[in-house]
Amino acid sequence: MTSGGDAAGMNPAIKAAVDHARQLGMNPYVVYDGLEGLIDGKIKEATRELTNDMIYRGGTLLRSSRSKRFFDYEFRRQAYEHLKERNIDKLIIMGGDGSFRALNDFFNDFEVPFAGIPATIDNDIAGTDYCLGVDTAQNVILDCIDSVRDTARSHHRAFVIETMGRDCGYLAMTTALCSAADICIVPEIPYDLESIYKRLQPVINEEGSCIIAVVAEGTRVAQYLTRWLTERAGMDTRLTVLGHVQRGGSPTARDRLMGTRFATRAVEALNNGDINQIMVYHDGQYGYASLDSVAGQQYSVTQDIITFAGSWAASRLSGSGTRFFPPMPPRSRGMGGFVLKKNAAAV
């Protein structure tokens, strides 16, 4: 089943799990609409016809949901009865740590073991370097930035591009690097507006140039930065919020491969008795992680990405280059402009 936000790579993982389970002599089923579907008994036998055309499809053909009802024991019991009727004794769930915790509660109630596959474009699950959907989302963002740059150069404009990621700046940081953006603001790294302005002056004064700023949604400063660039830099500035387009699209080769590898290992883990494990990819190796080491833990972007991004930016002090600075303080009204609050910890 798939739970929480959809992510490219879920469908290839579903197909791989079904195929591998069948190879091992199991009788695979699929659950539609996530935990809500589990409660309502939306469970079907996974036929070959059902999974044949899945691998190239984006999102999740099993659909997804977030379920408040699953917190209620009686609804969990209802879900268990649906599984018992079909002799289903193992579950694989794709989603985030909330989904994993939900099935852990389910195991504590009814001893139905599970395996978890990390799937979120935010790439913010602790214990794994990669979650399904990230590569596809990165490529969607890059395509959008490249397209926006064409119109930005045509009109000597600045564009602020807001990416998803909640409180994690991974998507914004990696796509800013890969697109040679001029500004990147993420929750993890400090910034200073006046330093940005000074470094951007050659770009501002150059004919036919443009400014591309990539901002993580968790900073909540996209609109502020748009106004600041208009007023301080004197450039016509537009805001583009990419939103849920980042979740769509046919999965890339990497997400298809990662989905396949995660899913086959999840089936093998359950078949070998390694229950309630989360599939992870760390330092180039696939493995398992306990729920305690994943759910509820704080995810941090790996230091090598931050270090690489920072050193790359430092070597590009003029012209186009990515500059990383920290979360922007709240807007404060000043005389005819935008000012930093006096108590803000700007570097």
Side-chain angles (χ1 to χ4, degrees), residues 10-335:
M10 283 181 164
N11 287 324
I14 294 165
K15 175 174 171 52
V18 167
D19 290 348
H20 196 53
R22 193 179 288 117
Q23 289 170 359
L24 294 177
M26 300 179 184
N27 188 22
Y29 287 78
V30 294
V31 180
Y32 287 88
D33 297 324
L35 296 174
E36 284 288 291
L38 195 61
I39 293 170
D40 295 332
K42 296 181 180 179
I43 304 170
K44 293 184 179 180
E45 189 168 354
T47 64
R48 287 180 172 82
E49 290 75 21
L50 188 148
T51 59
N52 271 348
D53 295 326
M54 272 192 169
I55 198 163
Y56 64 88
R57 304 283 293 275
T60 167
L61 294 180
L62 298 186
R63 304 187 298 270
S64 188
S65 68
R66 290 180 171 87
S67 177
K68 292 182 179 179
R69 291 194 296 165
F70 208 78
F71 290 106
D72 187 313
Y73 175 81
E74 290 305 318
F75 284 116
R76 292 200 298 275
R77 171 168 287 282
Q78 185 174 314
Y80 174 67
E81 293 299 328
H82 290 308
L83 294 178
K84 191 164 68 171
E85 288 170 7
R86 297 165 176 82
N87 295 317
I88 297 172
D89 57 3
K90 300 177 182 68
L91 293 170
I92 294 176
I93 189 165
M94 301 174 210
D97 56 5
S99 302
F100 305 151
R101 283 197 299 267
L103 281 201
N104 191 59
D105 291 341
F106 194 65
F107 174 80
N108 291 334
D109 291 334
F110 308 107
E111 297 186 351
V112 178
F114 72 94
I117 295 176
T120 168
I121 69 168
D122 299 341
N123 207 40
D124 62 352
I125 297 177
T128 183
D129 296 339
Y130 191 81
C131 302
L132 288 187
V134 173
D135 189 66
T136 304
Q138 287 172 318
N139 280 279
V140 168
I141 294 168
L142 286 174
D143 186 60
C144 291
I145 293 174
D146 290 346
S147 297
V148 162
R149 192 187 298 277
D150 291 339
T151 186
R153 285 193 182 280
S154 298
H155 296 275
H156 186 55
R157 283 177 176 155
F159 274 82
V160 176
I161 313 291
E162 184 184 85
T163 68
M164 282 182 157
R166 291 189 297 183
D167 297 323
C168 176
Y170 182 87
L171 275 182
M173 207 180 305
T174 54
T175 54
L177 281 168
C178 293
S179 64
D182 299 286
I183 304 170
C184 182
I185 296 181
V186 294
E188 293 86 350
I189 308 175
Y191 69 85
D192 173 56
L193 293 178
E194 282 307 306
S195 294
I196 291 175
Y197 174 70
K198 290 175 183 177
R199 294 184 180 185
L200 289 180
Q201 278 188 320
V203 181
I204 295 169
N205 298 327
E206 181 183 343
E207 288 188 7
S209 64
C210 67
I211 291 175
I212 300 294
V214 179
V215 178
E217 65 177 348
T219 62
R220 302 175 185 85
V221 299
Q223 291 185 348
Y224 184 107
L225 184 62
T226 302
R227 295 192 299 267
W228 181 83
L229 281 167
T230 300
E231 181 148 332
R232 187 70 176 95
M235 292 186 72
D236 182 12
T237 306
R238 307 297 173 89
L239 170 61
T240 300
V241 179
L242 297 183
H244 285 74
V245 69
Q246 296 162 90
R247 285 191 183 170
S250 180
T252 60
R254 187 181 189 199
D255 271 324
R256 298 183 196 198
L257 287 168
M258 295 297 290
T260 299
R261 288 166 174 161
F262 276 148
T264 54
R265 282 165 172 78
V267 172
E268 288 171 0
L270 289 173
N271 192 53
N272 295 334
D274 295 320
I275 64 172
N276 304 353
Q277 298 293 307
I278 313 303
M279 305 303 106
V280 297
Y281 178 77
H282 184 62
D283 289 339
Q285 301 293 321
Y286 294 90
Y288 310 151
S290 67
L291 180 69
D292 289 340
S293 66
V294 173
Q297 300 300 314
Q298 181 68 40
Y299 172 82
S300 299
V301 176
T302 54
Q303 190 59 46
D304 63 323
I305 292 177
I306 294 176
T307 301
F308 173 71
S311 62
W312 185 86
S315 67
R316 298 289 298 276
L317 297 180
S318 63
S320 179
T322 307
R323 287 98 183 183
F324 293 85
F325 304 94
M328 187 174 291
R331 180 183 177 185
S332 178
R333 295 187 179 276
M335 293 295 291

